[in-house]
Amino acid sequence: MTSLSTDAPPSTPARPPRASRSARRRRRAVGRVGWVAVLLTSLTIVAYSAVPYLMGSLEQLDPERAPLAPAYSQTPAVVQVAFVVHIVGAAVALFVGPFQFWAAARRRFPGLHRWLGRSYLVGVWVGGAASLVMAPYNTAGMIGFLGFGTLGALWVWTGWRAYRAIRSGDVRSHQAWMIRSFSLTFGAVMLRIWTGTLVAAQAFAAGDAFDFDAAFENAYDAVTFLAWVPNFVIAEWMIRRRGLPGLRIVDPVQLVERPR
């Protein structure tokens, strides 16, 4: 006798629509292009804006290659040391940072990812602490003290939160804080881009009356905040778009009712 089964055959998962697959491929392609752009611009700034400051004492450096050297060579010795330490720490963080967002490398070489992450955080903490020493002596005056000082404090803080998150096993929060941290690190790139853009805009508007020194001073005042605030806003948008934990000023705590 042939028995009939009323059980439905196992259903096969439906394939996602072709449009959604192509959209994901486009997003991945855009992400790869963006990552390569961040990597190349970061390495360029390390090579052409950081390395020249390590080629000798501040008094001996060529102002054309190291434009901040003359100003900081007149500061106290501790500030000069902090300036060089900041350059080294920021260069390490800017060099290592992009590789921490290479997903394939994270999966295939987790040990290397951890060691690069430690190097990145050391660069952030060293560079950030040194920037706080430099902030009162910056060349943009009070607005520079507020802009660069806030940047330095946030740089140290976001790095610390990223470290605490991964130590506690909270990978998603770690990813969010690393995105925030590198958005501040990338301020070194955006500072140069914004400065050049603002100087060019002033040159176009002034015509024959253009004064480069005055235009550069105006641009530098603006980039003390412009170099990093938009980065931080975009980073938070990226974090929320990826479904990662949003920004919280303090760690969430479980409230326990005290006995009366």
Side-chain angles (χ1 to χ4, degrees):
M1 179 181 294
T2 304
S3 62
L4 300 177
S5 172
T6 58
D7 294 335
S11 59
T12 57
R15 290 186 176 182
R18 181 173 301 178
S20 65
R21 293 200 302 271
S22 63
R24 285 197 296 270
R25 284 197 295 268
R26 285 195 299 270
R27 286 196 296 268
R28 286 196 293 267
V30 171
R32 285 193 291 268
V33 171
W35 181 82
V36 170
V38 168
L39 174 65
L40 294 180
T41 53
S42 297
L43 297 182
T44 299
I45 293 303
V46 171
Y48 290 98
S49 294
V51 172
Y53 287 98
L54 308 178
M55 296 294 101
S57 65
L58 295 179
E59 294 85 356
Q60 298 171 342
L61 295 179
D62 181 5
E64 295 294 328
R65 294 293 311 279
L68 292 177
Y72 279 98
S73 66
Q74 306 303 315
T75 60
V78 65
V79 179
Q80 295 186 39
V81 172
F83 178 75
V84 176
V85 169
H86 170 72
I87 294 293
V88 173
V92 170
L94 196 58
F95 181 84
V96 172
F99 295 101
Q100 293 301 94
F101 298 96
W102 186 1
R106 286 201 309 269
R107 292 191 298 266
R108 296 174 63 182
F109 309 105
L112 177 62
H113 174 75
R114 286 192 292 270
W115 277 105
L116 290 178
R118 294 185 184 106
S119 301
Y120 171 82
L121 289 176
V122 169
V124 166
W125 292 330
V126 168
S131 71
L132 297 177
V133 177
M134 295 164 48
Y137 298 88
N138 80 93
T139 58
M142 181 55 68
I143 190 171
F145 172 73
L146 295 175
F148 291 136
T150 304
L151 170 59
L154 288 175
W155 204 23
V156 173
W157 179 61
T158 54
W160 173 245
R161 293 296 298 269
Y163 173 76
R164 286 187 59 192
I166 198 61
R167 291 292 294 175
S168 64
D170 189 349
V171 175
R172 289 171 56 79
S173 290
H174 171 72
Q175 292 173 341
W177 283 108
M178 284 295 288
I179 292 173
R180 296 185 185 103
S181 174
F182 188 73
S183 76
L184 300 176
T185 303
F186 200 68
V189 175
M190 296 309 301
L191 184 146
R192 275 79 181 179
I193 293 175
W194 276 116
T195 300
T197 302
L198 294 176
V199 169
Q202 293 176 85
F204 177 80
D208 294 338
F210 175 66
D211 182 344
F212 176 82
D213 292 336
F216 181 85
E217 184 175 347
N218 291 335
Y220 200 73
D221 288 346
V223 298
T224 58
F225 284 96
L226 195 58
W228 61 271
V229 171
N231 295 11
F232 203 72
V233 173
I234 293 172
E236 197 61 30
W237 171 79
M238 292 174 61
I239 288 167
R240 295 178 184 275
R241 190 169 181 267
R242 296 181 182 187
L244 297 174
L247 180 63
R248 293 181 179 180
I249 302 302
V250 296
D251 289 331
V253 296
Q254 183 177 4
L255 299 179
V256 179
E257 185 179 357
R258 294 181 179 181
R260 296 181 179 178

